[in-house]
Amino acid sequence: MKRALPFILLLAGTAAMYLLMPYNLAFATRILVMGIFVLSIDLVLGFAGIATLGQAAMYGAGAYAAALFAAHAWAEPVAGLAVGAAAGAVVALLSGLVLMRASGLTLIMLTIAVAALLAETANRARDLTGGADGLRVAFGPVLGLWEFDFIGQTGFCYAAAVGACVLGLLALVARSPFGLSLRGLQSSPARMAAIGAPVYPRRVAAYTLGGAIAGIAGALSAQVAGLVSLETFSFTLSAEALVMLILGGTGRLWGALLGTVLFMFAHHYAAAADPFNWLFAIGALVMVVVFVLPGGLLSLPGALKGGRHD
Amino acid sequence: MTLLLNIALDGIAYGMILFLVAVGLSVTMGLMRVVNLAHGGFALMGGALAHWAGADLGLGFWPALACAILGTVALALPLERLVYRRIYGFGELQQVLATIGLTFIVIAAVNRWQGSALLPVPLPETLSRTVDLGFRTLPAHRIAVILCGLGVILGLWLLLDRTRFGIRLRAAVDNRAIASAHGIVTDRIYMATFGLGAALAALGGVLGAELLPVDAYYPLRYMVLFLMVVAVGGMGSVTGSFAAALGLGITETAARYLVPDMATFAFYGIVILVLALRPQGLMGRIA
Amino acid sequence: MSRKPLAALAAVTLGLAAGQATADEIRVGVVAPFSGPFALYGTQFRQAIEAWQATHGTRAGDHEISFVYKDSGGVNPDLARSLSQELVIRDRVDVLAGYVFTPNALSVAQLATQSETPVVIFNAATSAINAESPFFLRTSYTLPQVSAPLADWAYAQGIRSVVTTVADYGPGIDAETAFSEAFTARGGAVTDTIRMPLSTTDFAPFLQSVRATGPEAVFVFLPGGPPTFAYAKAYAENGLKEAGITFLGTAETEESNLQALGDGALGLHTAYHYSAAHDSDANRAFLAAVEGLGDDAAPVNWASVGAWDGADLIYRMVEAAGADGRAAIEAALGAEWESPRGPVRMDPESRTLVQNVYIREVTRNPQTGLLENAETGIIATVGDLGWKD
Amino acid sequence: MTEGLVVRGLSKRFGGLVVSDGLDFDLPPGARKALIGPNGAGKSTFANLVTGIHAPSSGSIRFDGADISDMDETARVRLGIAKTFQITTLFTGLTVRENLRLAVLERERRGFRLFCRADGDPEVEAEIAALMDQLALEPLADRVVERLAYGQQRLVELAMTLALKPRVLILDEPAAGVPGSETHLITDAIEALPADLAVLIIEHDMELVFRVARSIVVLVAGRILTEGTPAQIASDPQVRELYLGGAHG
């Protein structure tokens, strides 16, 4: 029962968003998409300990792949998600073969460089991608049944369903031998090698899986917005998502979700009220979390109790 | 032949600007092992102070530059004490986040103070002239930057390799506990080094402004560029940053002459190639 | 996913829409960057609108007009669309306005069409945007609109060879195409086309290449801000002016960064639809209205005038049609008025303004001592030359 | 006939520095050998060469007749050559049970399994329980490793290494850093190791060495000085010179 509690809370939260914010469904949908993206970073960074500031490379690849697939092959969104996931996975696999041999600052730089290269490629391939103008694509009804409406009901329910699937998948993975081995990788690559685990292939696998999920998030964003822009590859997107993850707490799925929801709400309301001071607020918030709550907000109850959680 | 000369000249001039804007980071990140994403923030402080001194106080270029460097150091030292001292022992990611947070605060502060428009520092007559080199002209400013870059690398080499301060700094970085045991006051050494990094950041921000114009969002716009130079050069090596800046500068300049639309690919391609083959950077020590 | 809540919500929304038609208050949602590197646009939009309301009141016909502002940051179509949707559905705005970047404008096409909400674009200048929804209107300009007349003017000045240097992204290439087509159609020769990476800050290599080619003029298109600043500097420093290579630009000498360019900018030629130095009563009234806002007034440039004319157009639409989107579009098409930039007319087909394009030269105003874009003549009165239906 | 680990002419240079110089070494099944020598003699480098962390500059390493000189660490562990580190290296954020589970699952090559629970296999859980029982770790089973005493962490590391079911076990200073009151835990555990397991102990603690080793190799400056039974080594004048003459003991 206790294990199911977070799921029940999450379900209730999603339903509450739908019922309490019927006029803000587009915003609620963006939270869901971002949540999936942050989960993908959590898998790569929080579980496997692979430091990245370039996860947007896979997000953008997924978004463009889904849009191009819809424009030239089949406009059904669920198929588009599969294509987006595949594109994210392929980009992560190919870049991961080089990147996963590096670590630390070098790795961070390489992830940034890969995203920058992809952005430039998409910019250059204007005939295909529309370049800086963006690529506008009309997607068909979800599973041929539900048309995307401008109020955003279909978009929200669709994103919630996809988000639930991704979360379910990651909850499975987190408890699997693979998930355990990722935590091992993060904790001590030397020890992993000493127990005979193939460290490099395992890191590539983790990066690829994270890439697939980022690809799904990107594809989903393309579908609900009906548009893809070069900004899907941007450093800002990677960095912002990372801040959300750290805010919530790394290495735990709920941390990723909590951080995303809080950050997005804070941004939506605080930034609307005072865009300038928002930057002050976010800067201060990040520093407070790093200094005072390195485990993220999810570690707050434990910290308040005075004891450390086990 | 003229083309080759052009590439060499513009490449060195551009590379030297890259070196000047990144060398402060090479000091804080390379020597002190802090992934200091707020480096651009200190350069911005310098640029904004110089603009303020020039435009609002009516000072000339050189007094404005001095004002920028001193002002930035004056702001950096308390920050070292309050913020950086606490993050020296953190992991790379934590350092990245803490310094990104600091960068946001600096941007917001400058934005509030000076607005979001460009913050130019008008050059003095001596630097805004163009110098005739026979086959072409070159702005005097670029020549000054090249000389300044050479001066900085020489000065740092003397400081780090030839003085007691340098020896103590390297001892402090390599092993803080042992250095303390030998009576080296590591806190002061760290503070002085950090001040040096901030001063170099301000110098680079002001001198580099002709190519990398300063506005409130300067730190975010060029953060990746600074980091790339230092990462390619190798952590812990000022000489490495120098080589990387010149190498990247000449490569990108050559691409701009020969295949202008591929220049971005050339830049990132080289970065990926170098880091994939030598993860520790050109002259980095293996950790 | 049940159909029930959908139906219920649709009913609610329709009910709200029905209530709106009789309401006296018309709300306009402005989506623009109010934070980040492009925050100046948002400030200029807001100040132009406030200046308009300060001088023209808040009533149009029988309707009270109010504006709601939303911060879209930079290029972020997801956010722009979500904010616009929220404005239409929750804040019940009757008109959307603003939109600095092309992707952001494109992202609301479907929303505008489905909800029949007129969208008045204050800035985004890619020709193709307006084809995406019949509810798009544009009070700025399009790239071909200014680039092609510039080519005509250059040819008329006796310039026969040009090298184009543009930023390697959509708008840059659109400008390059429009200029080259117009220039070669006249009989001129484009001897080289250089596309410069968007992130470039060191323009010396490109301009040295231009110099080596030795054309009579160089055409440039760059995004505003630091790149433009660095390019203008590099043009002066690399001796192109001395070599007799004329600078042909568009928005490069816009007013918000003009003073920062310094003396190096003197004599630069640009073709554009608005200069803050335009000599007319309408412009003086506009400048006075913005200055009347107080010390915080941002420099006035094309973005300000786009918003000012946008407000003008919105007032006309509301006066004629109230909250009825379709009727409002009908009322807007063909509308003519005297703008601070000169006479303008909303082209019924391309839904972009037909306006004068001026040739300007950067000079120092002897009275204020400041740099300004002195208009030396009208080159053309044109609509969107890039419009393809 | 199994021949175990056979090392011939093994050398390792780091730049100009020769750390291992033409070593010949045998470790048949059931062996209990100790490698001793002063600091800097190249003991840890030897261990790293055997386990594949470093590649040799020359020479060969054979295991059960097959040349494994070019194999990487992972492949050697999978052949059955396992080691503990000089400084305890564990998954510090995980519990004792999770550390052991990870080792067992990797040995079983299940690390890529995505869709079953890591703790879902009763056989694996039973094996973990047996290992903890063997080293008296049960009371600590669900404690996070980083909060254990150092001697306890040492035991966890030993248990993890045993979980790999190795045929060659290299213990790099198993008692280093362990308080005297806890050393017996380590000694007892080593004495209770399976009889057919080949064990190499690198250690400074002579008491421990003389208690568990049946044969001792003395390494000085990258070369083997001498090899013999504990009694022979204890009476060897060269060794006495080395250890009583001021070098570390």
Side-chain angles (χ1 to χ4, degrees), chain A residues 8 32 51 65 79 90 107 157 177 205 264 270 281 290 299 308:
Chain A
I8 295 168
L32 292 171
V90 168
L107 175 59
C157 297
M264 295 290 281
V290 172
S299 68
R308 298 206 280 173

Side-chain angles (χ1 to χ4, degrees), chain A residues 18 22-27 30 59 120 123-124 126 131-134 136 145-154 157-158 221 224-229 231 267-269 271-272 275-276, chain C residues 1 3 5-6 9-10 12-13 16 34-35 39 70-71 75-79 81-83 85-86 88-90 102-103 106-107 109-111 114-115 126 132 168-171 173-174 197:
Chain A
Y18 184 82
Y23 306 129
N24 282 38
L25 285 178
F27 169 58
R30 284 184 57 237
Y59 181 87
E120 181 63 11
N123 179 38
R124 297 290 306 285
R126 293 182 78 221
D133 289 346
R136 209 168 98 75
L145 296 173
W146 296 286
E147 198 71 67
F148 285 110
D149 56 302
F150 81 89
I151 296 172
Q153 288 170 321
T154 307
C157 297
Y158 173 52
S221 92
V224 293
L227 187 101
V228 193
S229 77
E231 299 304 304
H267 183 268
H268 192 67
Y269 291 104
F276 269 11
Chain C
M1 215 178 329
R3 283 268 163 185
L6 188 89
L9 205 77
V12 173
T13 320
L16 292 172
F34 290 94
S35 66
K70 293 280 179 193
D71 176 19
V75 180
N76 193 341
D78 290 4
L79 179 59
R81 182 182 151 282
S82 141
L83 292 172
Q85 193 164 330
E86 188 182 329
V88 168
I89 297 170
R90 197 187 68 163
T102 299
L106 283 175
S107 75
Q110 191 197 8
L111 172 71
Q114 287 185 348
S115 66
T126 304
E132 296 292 331
D168 190 4
Y169 76 133
I173 290 162
D174 287 350

Side-chain angles (χ1 to χ4, degrees), chain C residues 183-224:
Chain C
F183 195 63
T184 46
R186 285 272 180 145
V190 175
T191 51
D192 196 6
T193 55
I194 299 178
R195 294 179 178 178
M196 308 173 289
L198 201 50
S199 58
T200 296
T201 45
D202 179 14
F203 293 96
F206 305 116
L207 290 172
Q208 284 294 336
S209 297
V210 170
R211 228 186 131 177
T213 319
E216 290 164 73
V218 57
F219 171 76
V220 56
F221 182 90
L222 288 164

